[in-house]
């Protein structure tokens, strides 16, 4: 029988953080539901780590409040909050065995010896390190160290698990493997989890919801699908996945001008006095046999990326460069080759538009 | 590949207290939390600043403030400075100090760099012993090289002809003596800088077909540049503030440090001594600022992903290494060997019969064995109190949340003693600690004040060592500890201290040997029952008993060497018992 | 068990008696360390109830320490410090005037001129020239007999003397020459001597020590050190130049503010007894009480006649000017020879 823990609900209200004049976080509002895995995603310097550290109490917010469950933790020192944390460096205590590392938090709260032992065994079994219990961190591989760090953070059954770039020090294969392990463990335990990452693929693959941050503000909060399919800003659109952008001018509420053509849009235009930017994902562009499409162009380059071919096309008439992803079969059918002519459509339901 | 076992029963024990949120969360407990959380450490560091102010700043102020007072204690502005600068011969002392310290720095840093290179980039055998010989000078009282240099290069010296008619008394003697005693300081800094080389840089250089010479200039030297700057700063400051060597072997060659001696000891003009001390602080401060400026740009070049460099077997390079080490080793052995010989000679140079009489300290003046036991007590006290104080303060500064301003102030106070000549510190201690209004003037004249003075005198280098060790630890240990409900204190005792044990042993040894050999500050502070062996060496030499002085110096050196061996043994034991967890990390 | 208790009680009692009986005096001194035990032992023969705790260092260091401790003096008595240093302390108001028993028996040269003197003399240490006979022979140097001899160019580079700016002995020589020869002649003499000096040292005993170890042929220093080195086997000849010798009184004084005045006075009383004088005479040819001194080995028999009529007041009041002039003439530039 698996008994789930009660993950905490976390509320962040109006949090700002200044370092001197520099505003690292601006008016952050966020609610994280019990048992959720939320990723803070953004380029380095966007404030995601600062926000994580504020939630942990390792940094003090300049203003704003934090509530974990029913408790206002805004002013509490980290020790009086309820979380486990895993850092990029793991920060395992090198002078202690795996067992002692995992038991560290349990001993802090004065758990009886026998129960500490049981609990450590249990956790090591869960992360698959039973055979390494007596080893020191330096004797383990990076992936194993990562698991120890995770077990150590989870040992006292925290209501909130904070992961600070936990996978970025690992090589690709181990990283992929651990991704799914962490995710399944998290689901199994039901612990509310926040993970900071700059790797969008990681965020999309693991998170229930993604918080995209840039320059100290939250650009968008949503499920990976939302974020990908309906980016709320040009930044999100460009940061998540690949995206083609074109400058354009509005004609009316639903139409825009691109080159000498006008395009109908499904989504309403943003109200903006300036120009707007159209965007479309490479996989949403339809390549068609010559003479079939609305747009004509020439293939400039083709990159074979395994499952698909990234094709660079220059559109005639508007002198726009466009990236199009095509599956190899279609490419064969279309007889794509560098220097060859091609036709394409920009489906209006796939077009995004943002304020310039 | 181990994996999770989702099917396995995973008990979540609900009775584990998740947190201990105070149910009576009143304002009071809120305050308590904040105090124990952050303010406590800031308060403790403020206390640390206060202690250092008491030990260094306040005493210094009592002396240096005399530089703007006349004999009667009235404020006279910069009159003393004007008087001093106009009295002639001063420029020469100032520039003599600068060029002698500068040249000594060049020589020492050059030799130390060659030695460090040979020790870390070749595969010479017996490096343990070589390292042991190279740090010998730090174990010897400063009079020992002076005696040896005279016996080697003086008018009756066995190697007099090597100087081509030049005299050892003067800049040559000062530079040779200074090089001898400052060499280990530079070597230790450079070894630290060069031990942690990243092997990948060398592999890259090899792959790019760089010649060994080019590799040396493009990889080795840049990798050690911060160490070089630090070593240069420390050596320069040590030489420029030292008056022991110039006094004994400098002849009439004037430097600022002996000028203080002339003003204070020769003519009892404290105010002029203070003036020279202030002038002496200037170059030391400039060197300090330059060093800080350069170090600020330093970032860790040796990261967790670096591969420790292991030199390949290369006979040609080993030979070059040996050639680079040989002169330094010979010089050090010659100096120590000559002192050993001197301690057995009946009357140099006219009666070279050897005897053990000079070791009968009971018959000698200057305190004899009593002085030796006093020195031992003082050194042990300095070691214990100093190591605790240094390490605790460094820990507060590095590993607890602190306002930046506070750490800046603390860093300044910690490094200040490096720029203060011992003589100035000693006199300051009289003025400050013997003042009738000072509530703790009772410690004046006791062994305790000698301990305090010595701790302050050697605070800077100990502090730097401790800080370096603490900086190398993962910055998140405390954060992890907090998340696991462990206080910073528990993390300190269970993680930080064990990890820093080697550095702590280093600091302890450093304080011990310096306390055994120091003279310049304590000469003003010992009481009738706290006469010290190092001072006895000076007094015996003063009385013309050169051989017994050499004998006592050798006894001190031997004691320090024994301490070094014990420390080495402890380090070996620590290394062995921690080998398992250091594997792959070092 | 019973025995142990008894023994403990007895020990405690004795400790108490001892504590009551013994007054401890902190005595600062520049007397040679090797003599201190003797001084204390002789004094304790007459006064076993007073224990002397010595703090000894060179004249310069002890004087600097005393002055630095002015606000809160640690010493009860100064026994064996140069008269010039005591004059400094007196001018700072740091000495308690006291007329010890038998004061009238001292030669007037050997006491503070005040009616109740601030210090009383013990003995005189006098200048001397230490000549290394072996080195002198090697270098074909004639034995000098006068100060003037030392300006002879044959001695060029063979003479070492203390720097008067660092050393009391050095100042003693300079002030003696100026008093002996008059200012102009005195400086002229020193100009000549300067040509022959190979170096100036920071310590007064160092020139003699250098002569003893053959580092120089001739060291201008003081007689006591030369005599001691000779006893230890140094090939030295002590020369006492015929023009006259600078000298300095070694003296005793009570430090102002002592809370053991009675014991301090007892010590000062004893320091000028005949017994004490005879004790000083073991190492010094001239002592403060006329008619006591017996000839001392290595010292001239007519020591008393050789010393100049030193005007300490003149020396003290002109010290600053003399040192400045000396530094102007010989300091700094000398190494550029």
């Amino acid at each position: 029988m698996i008994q789930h823990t009660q993950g905490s609900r976390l509320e962040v209200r109006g949090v700002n953080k200044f370092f001197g004049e520099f505003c690292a976080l601006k008016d952050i509002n966020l609610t994280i539901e019990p048992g959720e895995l939320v990723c803070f995603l953004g380029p380095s310097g966007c404030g995601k780590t600062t926000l994580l550290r504020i939630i942990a109490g390792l940094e003090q917010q300049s203003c704003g409040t934090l509530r974990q469950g029913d408790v206002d933790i805004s002013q509490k020192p980290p020790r009086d909050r309820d979380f486990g944390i895993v850092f990029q460096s793991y920060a395992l205590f090198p002078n202690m065995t795996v067992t002692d590392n995992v038991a560290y938090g349990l001993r802090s709260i004065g758990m009886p010896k026998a129960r500490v032992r049981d609990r450590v065994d249990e956790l090591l079994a869960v992360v698959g390190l039973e055979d390494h219990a007596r080893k020191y961190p330096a004797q383990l591989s990076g992936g194993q160290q990562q698991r120890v760090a995770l077990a150590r953070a989870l040992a006292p059954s925290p209501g909130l698990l904070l992961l600070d770039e936990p996978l970025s020090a690992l090589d690709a294969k181990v990283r992929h493997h651990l991704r799914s392990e962490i995710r399944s463990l998290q689901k199994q335990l039901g612990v509310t989890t926040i993970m900071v990452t700059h790797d969008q693929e990681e965020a999309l693959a693991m998170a229930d919801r993604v918080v995209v941050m840039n320059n100290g503000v939250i650009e968008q909060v949503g499920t990976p699908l939302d974020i990908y399919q309906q980016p709320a800003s040009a930044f999100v659109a460009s940061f998540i996945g690949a995206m083609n952008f074109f400058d354009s001018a509005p004609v009316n509420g639903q139409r825009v001008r691109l080159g000498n053509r006008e395009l109908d849009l499904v989504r309403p235009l943003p109200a903006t006095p300036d120009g707007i930017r159209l965007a479309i994902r490479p996989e949403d562009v339809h390549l068609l046999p010559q003479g079939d499409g609305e747009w004509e162009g020439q293939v400039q380059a083709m990159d074979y990326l395994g499952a698909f071919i990234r094709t660079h096309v220059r559109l005639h008439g508007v002198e726009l460069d466009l990236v199009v992803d095509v599956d190899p079969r279609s490419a064969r059918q279309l007889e794509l080759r560098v220097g060859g002519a091609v036709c394409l459509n920009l489906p209006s339901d796939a077009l995004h538009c943002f304020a310039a | 590949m181990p994996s999770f076992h989702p099917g396995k029963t995973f008990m979540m024990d609900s009775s584990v207290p998740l947190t201990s949120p105070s149910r009576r969360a009143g304002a009071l407990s809120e305050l308590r939390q904040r105090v124990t959380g952050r303010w406590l450490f800031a308060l403790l560091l403020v206390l640390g600043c206060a202690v250092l102010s008491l030990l260094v700043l306040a005493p210094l102020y009592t002396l240096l403030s005399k530089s703007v007072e006349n004999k009667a204690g009235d404020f006279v502005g910069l009159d003393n400075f004007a008087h001093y600068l106009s009295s002639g011969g001063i420029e020469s002392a100032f520039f003599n100090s600068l060029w002698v310290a500068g040249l000594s720095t060049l020589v020492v840093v050059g030799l130390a760099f060659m030695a460090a290179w040979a020790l870390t980039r070749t595969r010479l055998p017996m490096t343990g012993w070589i390292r042991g010989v190279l740090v010998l000078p730090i174990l010897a009282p400063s009079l020992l090289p002076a005696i040896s240099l005279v016996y080697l290069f003086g008018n009756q010296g066995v190697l007099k002809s090597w100087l081509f008619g030049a005299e050892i008394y003067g800049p040559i003697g000062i530079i040779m003596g200074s090089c001898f005693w400052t060499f280990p300081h530079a070597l230790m800094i450079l070894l630290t800088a060069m031990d942690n080389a990243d092997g990948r840089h060398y592999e890259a250089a090899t792959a790019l077909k760089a010649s060994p010479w080019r590799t040396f200039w493009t990889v080795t030297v840049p990798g050690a540049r911060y160490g070089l700057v630090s070593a240069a700063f420390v050596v320069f400051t040590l030489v420029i503030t030292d008056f022991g060597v110039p006094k004994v072997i400098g002849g009439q060659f004037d430097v600022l440090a002996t000028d203080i001696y002339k003003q204070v000891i020769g003519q009892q003009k404290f105010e002029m001594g203070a003036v020279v001390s202030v002038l002496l602080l200037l170059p030391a401060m400039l060197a300090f600022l330059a060093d800080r400026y350069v170090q600020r740009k330093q970032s860790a070049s040796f990261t967790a992903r670096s591969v420790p460099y292991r030199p390949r077997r290369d006979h040609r390079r080993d030979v070059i290494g040996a050639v680079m080490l040989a002169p330094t080793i010979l010089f050090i052995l010659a100096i120590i060997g000559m002192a050993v010989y001197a301690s057995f000679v009946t009357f140099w140079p006219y009666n070279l019969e050897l005897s053990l009489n000079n070791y009968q300290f009971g018959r000698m003046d200057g305190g004899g064995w009593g002085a030796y036991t006093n020195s031992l007590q003082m050194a042990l006290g300095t070691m214990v109190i100093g190591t605790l104080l240094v390490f605790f303060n460094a820990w507060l500064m590095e590993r607890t949340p602190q306002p930046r301003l506070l750490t800046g102030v603390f860093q300044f106070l910690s490094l200040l003693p490096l720029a203060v000549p011992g003589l100035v510190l000693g006199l300051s201690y009289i003025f400050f600690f013997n003042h009738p209004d000072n509530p703790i003037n009772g410690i004046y004249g006791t062994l305790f004040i000698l301990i305090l003075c010595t701790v302050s005198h050697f605070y800077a280098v100990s502090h730097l060592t401790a800080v370096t060790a603490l900086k190398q630890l993962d910055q998140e240990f405390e954060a992890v500890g907090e998340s696991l409900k462990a206080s910073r204190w528990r993390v300190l005792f269970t993680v930080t201290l064990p990890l820093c044990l080697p550095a702590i042993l280093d600091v302890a040894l450093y304080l011990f040997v310096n306390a055994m050999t120091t003279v310049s500050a304590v000469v003003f502070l010992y009481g009738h029952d706290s006469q010290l062996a190092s001072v006895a060496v000076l007094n015996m030499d003063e009385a013309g008993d050169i051989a017994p002085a050499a004998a006592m110096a050798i006894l001190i050196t031997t004691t320090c060497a024994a301490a070094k061996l014990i420390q080495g043994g402890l380090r070996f034991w620590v290394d062995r018992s921690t080998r398992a967890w250091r594997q792959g990390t070092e | 068990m019973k025995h142990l208790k008894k023994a403990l009680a007895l020990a405690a009692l004795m400790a108490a008696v001892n504590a009551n009986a013994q007054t401890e005096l902190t005595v600062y001194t520049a007397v040679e360390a090797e003599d201190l035990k003797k001084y204390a032992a002789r004094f304790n023969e007459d006064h076993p109830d007073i224990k002397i705790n010595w703090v000894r260092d060179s004249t310069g260091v002890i004087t600097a320490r005393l002055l630095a401790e002015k606000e809160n003096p640690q010493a009860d008595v100064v026994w064996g410090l140069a008269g010039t240093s005591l004059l400094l302390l007196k001018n700072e108001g740091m000495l308690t005037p006291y007329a010890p028993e038998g004061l009238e028996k001292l030669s007037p040269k050997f006491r503070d001129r005040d009616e109740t003197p601030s210090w009383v003399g013990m003995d005189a240490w006098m200048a001397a020239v230490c000549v290394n006979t072996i080195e002198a022979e090697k270098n074909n140097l004639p034995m000098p007999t006068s100060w003037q001899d030392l300006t002879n160019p044959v001695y060029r580079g063979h003479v070492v003397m203390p720097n008067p700016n660092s050393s009391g002995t050095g100042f003693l020589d300079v002030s003696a020459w100026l008093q002996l020869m008059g200012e102009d002649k005195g400086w002229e003499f020193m100009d000549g001597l300067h040509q022959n000096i190979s170096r100036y040292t920071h310590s007064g005993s160092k020139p003699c020590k250098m002569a003893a170890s053959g580092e120089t042929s001739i060291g201008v220093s003081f007689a006591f050190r030369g005599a001691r080195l000779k006893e230890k086997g140094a090939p030295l000849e002590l020369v006492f130049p015929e023009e006259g010798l600078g000298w300095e009184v070694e003296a005793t004084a009570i430090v102002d503010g002592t809370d053991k005045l009675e014991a301090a006075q007892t010590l000062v009383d004893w320091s000028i007894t005949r017994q004490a004088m005879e004790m000083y005479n073991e190492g010094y040819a001239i002592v403060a009480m006329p008619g006591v001194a017996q000839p001392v080995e290595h010292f001239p028999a007519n020591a008393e006649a050789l010393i100049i009529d030193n005007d300490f007041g003149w020396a003290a009041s002109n010290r600053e000017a003399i040192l400045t002039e000396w530094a102007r003439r010989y300091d700094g530039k000398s190494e550029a020879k």
Side-chain angles (χ1 to χ4, degrees), chain B residues 306-380:
Chain B
S306 299
V307 184
Y309 171 75
R310 300 218 183 284
R312 281 176 300 114
R313 187 154 287 296
D314 180 344
H315 281 293
R316 211 173 53 125
R317 193 156 48 169
D318 290 355
V319 170
I320 296 175
V323 169
M324 286 183 163
L325 278 172
T328 311
I329 292 182
L330 283 179
F331 180 64
I332 291 172
L333 286 181
I335 296 274
I336 302 277
M338 197 54 177
V340 173
Y341 173 70
S343 71
F344 291 115
V345 166
T346 308
F347 196 94
W348 169 272
Y350 302 111
N351 181 356
L352 299 181
E353 217 172 289
L354 301 182
S355 88
L356 275 169
N357 284 347
N358 300 323
Y359 282 87
Q360 296 180 343
F361 300 118
R363 289 171 40 212
M364 307 293 167
D365 46 278
W369 288 108
Y372 178 72
T373 25
N374 283 341
S375 272
L376 270 185
Q377 286 178 30
M378 199 275 268
L380 288 171

Side-chain angles (χ1 to χ4, degrees), chain A residues 291-351:
Chain A
D292 278 5
E294 298 167 29
W295 301 81
E296 286 181 3
Q298 189 186 28
V299 178
Q300 303 283 312
M302 295 168 69
D303 304 331
Y304 292 88
L305 298 176
F308 60 91
I309 300 170
R310 182 147 288 180
T311 312
H312 300 261
V313 178
R314 169 154 297 184
L315 295 189
H316 296 313
V318 283
E319 299 307 312
L320 276 174
D321 287 326
L322 199 61
V323 176
V324 187
D325 288 346
V326 210
D327 62 288
R329 189 143 50 117
S330 312
R332 266 197 311 279
Q333 287 168 356
L334 293 167
E335 294 175 338
L336 285 188
R337 59 182 176 80
V338 176
V342 72
C343 277
L344 53 81
N345 278 348
L346 301 175
S348 59
D349 58 351
L351 279 173

Side-chain angles (χ1 to χ4, degrees), chain B residues 229-230 233 283-296:
Chain B
V229 171
S230 253
F233 157 65
M285 286 285 190
L286 279 181
F288 168 74
L289 290 178
D291 182 56
R292 285 296 102 188
Y293 177 74
V294 173
Q295 303 298 347
R296 192 170 302 162

Side-chain angles (χ1 to χ4, degrees), chain A residues 33-353:
Chain A
E33 298 301 332
E36 240 189 335
L37 194 159
V38 170
C39 276
F40 292 174
L41 177 66
S44 57
C46 71
K48 57 188 190 295
T49 299
T50 307
L51 181 56
L52 186 85
R53 293 181 73 87
I54 286 174
I55 291 170
L58 300 170
E59 299 272 359
Q60 184 68 35
Q61 69 275 20
S62 305
C63 62
T65 56
L66 298 157
R67 293 185 70 83
Q68 185 173 354
D70 303 328
V71 186
D72 183 349
I73 56 166
S74 309
Q75 299 300 327
K76 283 191 186 296
R79 220 146 65 83
D80 296 343
R81 302 188 184 191
D82 174 27
F83 67 95
I85 191 164
V86 176
F87 288 103
Q88 183 178 358
S89 65
Y90 316 141
L92 293 176
F93 302 137
N95 56 326
M96 295 180 196
T97 59
V98 169
T99 303
D100 289 336
N101 264 287
V102 176
Y104 199 83
L106 304 173
R107 291 184 183 142
S108 294
I109 53 177
M111 188 188 267
K113 268 186 186 168
R115 281 179 55 203
V116 169
R117 207 178 313 124
D118 293 347
R119 177 81 178 138
V120 170
D121 289 347
E122 196 176 29
L123 278 157
L124 288 182
V126 167
V127 297
L129 287 174
E130 307 99 311
D131 301 338
H132 302 280
R134 302 170 72 107
K135 285 190 180 168
Y136 289 96
Q139 297 165 316
L140 302 177
S141 72
Q144 289 168 329
Q145 291 183 23
Q146 161 64 248
R147 288 162 210 263
V148 177
L150 203 57
R152 181 177 66 179
L154 289 171
S157 316
L160 182 61
L161 178 64
L162 304 176
L163 307 171
D164 185 7
E165 304 257 6
L167 301 172
S168 61
L170 299 168
D171 53 54
K173 209 171 164 195
V174 182
R175 196 158 64 219
H176 278 94
H177 188 75
L178 267 173
R179 224 187 245 174
S180 51
E181 285 189 5
I182 291 176
R183 180 57 170 152
S184 72
L185 179 64
Q186 186 267 338
K187 274 192 172 148
Q188 178 190 343
L189 299 180
V191 56
T192 310
T193 303
I194 299 174
M195 182 168 104
V196 161
T197 181
H198 63 270
D199 180 343
Q200 42 152 316
E201 198 186 317
E202 200 169 284
L204 297 182
M206 292 175 73
D208 291 316
R209 281 193 301 156
V210 178
V211 177
V212 185
M213 297 179 65
N214 189 34
N215 288 331
V217 298
I218 293 179
E219 295 268 347
Q220 187 173 5
V221 183
T223 64
L225 206 64
D226 282 347
I227 298 280
Y228 190 80
Q229 295 188 336
Q230 281 151 40
S233 67
F235 170 79
V236 176
S238 65
F239 190 75
I240 312 284
M243 186 69 93
N244 293 295
F245 283 99
F246 334 93
D247 288 326
S248 148
V251 178
N252 59 38
Q254 292 272 282
R255 282 175 82 81
V256 293
R257 180 179 299 281
L258 183 64
N260 51 6
R261 294 176 200 214
E262 291 187 356
L263 298 171
D264 284 314
L265 295 178
V266 176
R267 302 182 182 91
L269 281 175
T272 166
D274 305 319
I276 59 164
R277 301 186 75 196
L278 285 185
I280 187 163
R281 298 223 179 258
E283 68 269 23
D284 288 340
V285 179
H286 287 177
L287 283 190
L288 300 161
Q290 247 176 313
D292 278 5
E294 298 167 29
W295 301 81
E296 286 181 3
Q298 189 186 28
V299 178
Q300 303 283 312
M302 295 168 69
D303 304 331
Y304 292 88
L305 298 176
F308 60 91
I309 300 170
R310 182 147 288 180
T311 312
H312 300 261
V313 178
R314 169 154 297 184
L315 295 189
H316 296 313
V318 283
E319 299 307 312
L320 276 174
D321 287 326
L322 199 61
V323 176
V324 187
D325 288 346
V326 210
D327 62 288
R329 189 143 50 117
S330 312
R332 266 197 311 279
Q333 287 168 356
L334 293 167
E335 294 175 338
L336 285 188
R337 59 182 176 80
V338 176
V342 72
C343 277
L344 53 81
N345 278 348
L346 301 175
S348 59
D349 58 351
L351 279 173
H352 307 271
C353 57

Side-chain angles (χ1 to χ4, degrees), chain A residues 1-3 5 53 57-60 75-83 85 87 89 91-96 104-105 107-109 111 115 119 122-123 125-128 130 136 138-139 147 150 152-154 156-157 168-169 177 181-182 184-185 188-189, chain B residues 1-23 25 30 32-34 36-38 305 474 476-488 490-492 494-496 498-499 577 580-585:
Chain A
M1 180 195 87
I2 301 172
Q3 191 175 338
T5 182
R53 293 181 73 87
L58 300 170
E59 299 272 359
Q60 184 68 35
Q75 299 300 327
K76 283 191 186 296
R79 220 146 65 83
D80 296 343
R81 302 188 184 191
D82 174 27
F83 67 95
I85 191 164
F87 288 103
S89 65
L92 293 176
F93 302 137
N95 56 326
M96 295 180 196
Y104 199 83
R107 291 184 183 142
S108 294
I109 53 177
M111 188 188 267
R115 281 179 55 203
R119 177 81 178 138
E122 196 176 29
L123 278 157
V126 167
V127 297
E130 307 99 311
Y136 289 96
Q139 297 165 316
R147 288 162 210 263
L150 203 57
R152 181 177 66 179
L154 289 171
S157 316
S168 61
H177 188 75
E181 285 189 5
I182 291 176
S184 72
L185 179 64
Q188 178 190 343
L189 299 180
Chain B
M1 193 83 195
S3 63
F4 299 127
H5 308 287
K8 206 163 173 179
T9 306
F10 187 64
M11 289 286 295
M12 232 37 208
D13 196 325
S14 54
S15 66
V16 173
L18 296 178
T19 62
S20 47
S22 173
R23 300 285 171 215
E30 194 82 342
R32 184 192 60 81
Q33 281 172 350
R34 293 208 69 168
T36 51
R38 277 157 201 274
R305 294 195 201 181
D474 195 306
E476 309 294 3
F477 280 156
E478 279 78 10
V480 167
E482 298 258 325
S483 78
L484 296 173
K485 315 283 176 263
S487 64
R488 277 171 201 274
R490 181 158 174 244
V491 175
L492 169 66
T494 55
V495 182
T496 315
L499 289 176
S577 53
W581 55 264
R582 282 185 196 278
Q583 226 171 48
T585 58

Side-chain angles (χ1 to χ4, degrees), chain B residues 187-508:
Chain B
L187 180 70
M188 288 193 295
I189 295 170
L190 285 175
L191 276 179
T192 318
M194 292 175 71
D195 262 342
N196 290 338
D198 188 345
R200 291 176 313 169
H201 293 158
Y202 285 87
E203 284 160 14
T206 312
L208 293 167
K209 308 228 182 322
S211 67
W213 185 242
R214 184 144 177 259
T215 307
F216 173 78
W217 282 109
T218 52
V219 179
T220 309
V221 174
R225 65 186 185 278
Y226 294 110
L228 285 169
V229 171
S230 253
F233 157 65
V234 167
V235 171
F236 182 85
T237 316
L238 287 177
V239 174
I240 208 167
T241 56
D242 171 59
F243 83 99
V245 171
K247 187 207 156 209
V248 179
I249 206 161
Q252 75 266 24
F253 185 80
D254 266 321
V255 292
L256 286 177
T258 50
D259 225 31
I260 300 182
Y261 180 86
K262 273 197 215 165
Q263 301 290 348
V264 173
I265 308 297
Q267 301 165 37
Q268 285 83 39
K269 291 198 276 194
F270 295 127
E271 70 286 355
M272 296 314 273
V275 166
V276 191
S277 306
V278 171
L279 291 181
L280 192 53
L281 278 177
L282 293 180
M285 286 285 190
L286 279 181
F288 168 74
L289 290 178
D291 182 56
R292 285 296 102 188
Y293 177 74
V294 173
Q295 303 298 347
R296 192 170 302 162
K297 297 187 169 172
Q298 178 171 21
S299 56
S301 60
F302 192 78
T303 61
R305 294 195 201 181
S306 299
V307 184
Y309 171 75
R310 300 218 183 284
R312 281 176 300 114
R313 187 154 287 296
D314 180 344
H315 281 293
R316 211 173 53 125
R317 193 156 48 169
D318 290 355
V319 170
I320 296 175
V323 169
M324 286 183 163
L325 278 172
T328 311
I329 292 182
L330 283 179
F331 180 64
I332 291 172
L333 286 181
I335 296 274
I336 302 277
M338 197 54 177
V340 173
Y341 173 70
S343 71
F344 291 115
V345 166
T346 308
F347 196 94
W348 169 272
Y350 302 111
N351 181 356
L352 299 181
E353 217 172 289
L354 301 182
S355 88
L356 275 169
N357 284 347
N358 300 323
Y359 282 87
Q360 296 180 343
F361 300 118
R363 289 171 40 212
M364 307 293 167
D365 46 278
W369 288 108
Y372 178 72
T373 25
N374 283 341
S375 272
L376 270 185
Q377 286 178 30
M378 199 275 268
L380 288 171
T382 303
M383 182 179 89
V384 172
I385 295 177
T387 309
L388 286 176
L389 190 68
V390 164
F391 194 82
F392 184 65
N393 279 337
W395 175 76
L396 281 176
M397 189 181 116
E398 276 303 316
R399 310 293 306 191
T400 62
Q402 297 291 352
R404 273 178 61 137
L405 183 69
L406 192 59
T407 55
V409 169
F410 185 77
Q411 181 80 353
F412 170 77
L413 286 173
S414 311
L415 297 178
L416 180 64
L418 198 58
V420 180
L423 179 104
V424 173
L425 191 68
L427 272 176
S428 306
Y429 264 53
I430 301 186
F431 287 119
F432 183 70
F433 283 102
N434 188 44
H435 200 278
D437 297 339
N438 191 322
I440 52 169
N441 61 20
I443 67 168
Y444 184 74
T446 65
L447 207 57
F448 190 59
I449 197 172
L450 294 175
I451 291 173
L452 289 186
C453 181
T454 310
V455 168
S456 320
H457 195 172
F458 299 102
Y459 197 92
V461 173
S462 317
H463 170 76
L464 287 177
T465 312
V467 165
T468 309
L470 287 165
K471 268 194 202 296
Q472 282 169 355
L473 303 185
D474 195 306
Q475 286 304 315
E476 309 294 3
F477 280 156
E478 279 78 10
V480 167
E482 298 258 325
S483 78
L484 296 173
K485 315 283 176 263
S487 64
R488 277 171 201 274
W489 304 102
R490 181 158 174 244
V491 175
L492 169 66
F493 287 110
T494 55
V495 182
T496 315
L497 276 178
L499 289 176
C500 288
L501 210 50
I504 291 172
L505 286 174
D506 283 350
V507 169

